[in-house]
Amino acid sequence: MKKTILKTVVLLALAGTSVALSASSYTYNTRSLIGVEGSYNSFDLENVTASKRETKKFAGVGLKIGAQTDNYRVFLSARNNFVSGYDYAYSLGGEAQYLLNFSSSMNMFIGGSGGYMNLIAKSNQASRELVSPYLGGDVGFNIHLGESIDLELGVRSVKLLNPSYIQNNITYNIGNITSGYMSFIFKYSMDDY
């Protein structure tokens, strides 16, 4: 009889422990993310040989997938930009951000990014291509439109690590790329399905 009572107590203690662990504060409130982004961007294009500079302003669209906890989120991103004078202008990269939760209706984020950018222009006279890794940072706000969707408003600055290319014996430098962007972020949990 004592053995049966002891086994029952041990079994109940183990069951209680597993319930307590599942409700522990060390569990993370994780969500999967899919984002669709629109942006307005600019960079300075400098003709080093002639000491001439022009500003390129252009629109962009992007898709990003990621995950977040209560305080952190990460994304893998692909962006296509529509720059006049270039046939292709795309980037592939990743972002890591820290979330500052100061309100139930919105939060602020600050983060860093890195990746790879490719600018290609093809013409009968001369073709040019710039391939460069990049590093950058971003800051902005997430406005919670509902339980499963956020409106993200942010600014991003990106520095190309190889910003120069040569065309017709003329060296060109591309300055930092500055972007203002808006994204719709769709949040879901794999456990919900």
Side-chain angles (χ1 to χ4, degrees), residues 30-57:
T30 59
R31 303 292 297 252
S32 297
L33 308 172
I34 296 177
V36 178
E37 177 182 302
S39 63
Y40 181 74
N41 315 277
S42 71
F43 65 79
D44 286 339
L45 180 63
E46 179 185 9
N47 180 333
V48 177
T49 309
S51 296
K52 191 167 97 176
R53 181 179 297 234
E54 84 177 282
T55 299
K56 294 275 191 180
K57 296 182 179 181

Side-chain angles (χ1 to χ4, degrees), residues 34-37 61-65 75-80 95:
I34 296 177
V36 178
E37 177 182 302
V61 295
L63 179 67
K64 46 194 182 183
I65 59 171
F75 286 110
L76 294 175
S77 59
R79 295 184 179 89
N80 188 25
E95 294 92 34

Side-chain angles (χ1 to χ4, degrees), residues 120-141:
I120 301 170
K122 298 178 181 177
S123 69
N124 292 335
Q125 294 87 16
S127 294
R128 62 189 187 272
E129 180 175 10
L130 173 75
V131 178
S132 175
Y134 69 83
L135 293 174
D138 54 2
V139 64
F141 294 93

